Amino acid sequence: MTSIYNLTREDLEKYFLSINSKKFHADQLFDWLYVKRVKSFDDVTNIKKEVLEEIKKNYILNNIKIVNVEKDQDVHKYLFELNDGEHIEAVLMFHDYGTSVCISSQVGCNMGCKFCESGRRKKVRNLEVSEMVLQILLIEEELGSRISHVVVMGIGEPFDNYDNLIKFFRIINDPKGISIGARHITVSTCGIVPKILEFSDLDMQINLAISLHAPNDELRNKIMPINKAYPLKELMDALKIYLKKTNRRLTFEYILLKDVNDSEDCALELVKLVKGLNCYINLIPYNETNNIDFKRTNTIQIMRFYDILKKNSIGVTIRKEFGGKISAACGQLRSKKEEL
Ligand code: SAH
């Protein structure tokens, strides 16, 4: 049976009309689910028993549960079990500006990035809308407080699960529900060009981050197979359209991999690639994993790379690291659980 958390408020309106009930129940039920956070349909007091019975015939509430939490001072890592026994993970980070949750969008991933732990196991399936929504609801419940920011950067390629992703955004952004502002939501993609173009026309101001990781096709082809389908020229053209249509600032993520993409030449090439775009570059110290051979660039070289970008007037930050101690980075918890 499907979860009620798969439905946007608009879907709920259609549902109530389809069972010959009242459209306004959608707002009421939405409030019970996302504001009052009921644990059972029986706790709903302003919708008639018969209607609730009908809902219960078609929908369940939760279809995921937390099975493990690892906590460090500024980061919590959650492992979830889905109804079919699969596992996904989400990471909660405490910042000075609030709390952000990094959620998963698929079970496994088909993008095959060479440095990435999550991609070592092929995609099993897309996550349902509810399975994304519940990562947030269950973490807020465990935490006892609200989350201010959401990033879709966990396991999976969100733009390979585009329709569910957008419904998920509609639900968490809905002012009558969890109400997380679009500007507090970020989605990261490895660069699926047709979906970037579609995203350019979205009526919500969600932030976009692009996993770039290399400044030229030769190198990018080696570490990110998606580049063979959508080479840099196509990607950059799509991003220019995105920037023009949305007037927003774009983030490029760039993992620094020792002796692979961290040379001064690479930095200069990167400058050329992004010069003039309304963007900034987030340099990511690589999280080494036991199963993959890439090594982390040392701090001195990271700073050299950073300086080159800075001197050339490119906006640049270095990502703060979370969760090293609790083996919490990028797909590691799930790998541990499933002994991949
Ligand atoms: N598929 C999407 C979102 C998930 S990956 C994407 O590619 O953007 C989220 C980010 O983590 C990506 O930038 C990815 O390249 C990066 N990443 C993957 N493995 C990593 C590792 N071991 N250390 C640091 N960053 C990593």
Side-chain angles (χ1 to χ4, degrees), residues 109 111 113 115-117 152-158 188-190 209-211 213 224 253 255 284-289 319 330 332:
C109 181
M111 299 301 121
C113 298
F115 46 81
C116 179
E117 179 78 23
V152 190
M153 288 191 191
I155 298 168
E157 167 48 49
S188 175
T189 176
C190 63
I210 302 291
S211 294
H213 308 328
M224 298 180 70
E253 298 156 276
I255 303 177
I284 306 176
Y286 182 56
N287 248 309
E288 292 178 8
T289 85
R319 177 173 292 172
C330 309
Q332 291 175 2

Side-chain angles (χ1 to χ4, degrees), residues 25 75 111 134 169 172 176 183 194 202 213 238 241 259 268 297 302 306-307:
H25 284 329
V75 58
M111 299 301 121
L134 281 161
F169 288 154
I172 64 168
K176 295 196 170 167
R183 285 158 188 269
L202 189 68
H213 308 328
I241 293 172
D259 297 332
L268 288 168
T297 297
I302 293 180
Y306 174 91
D307 282 342

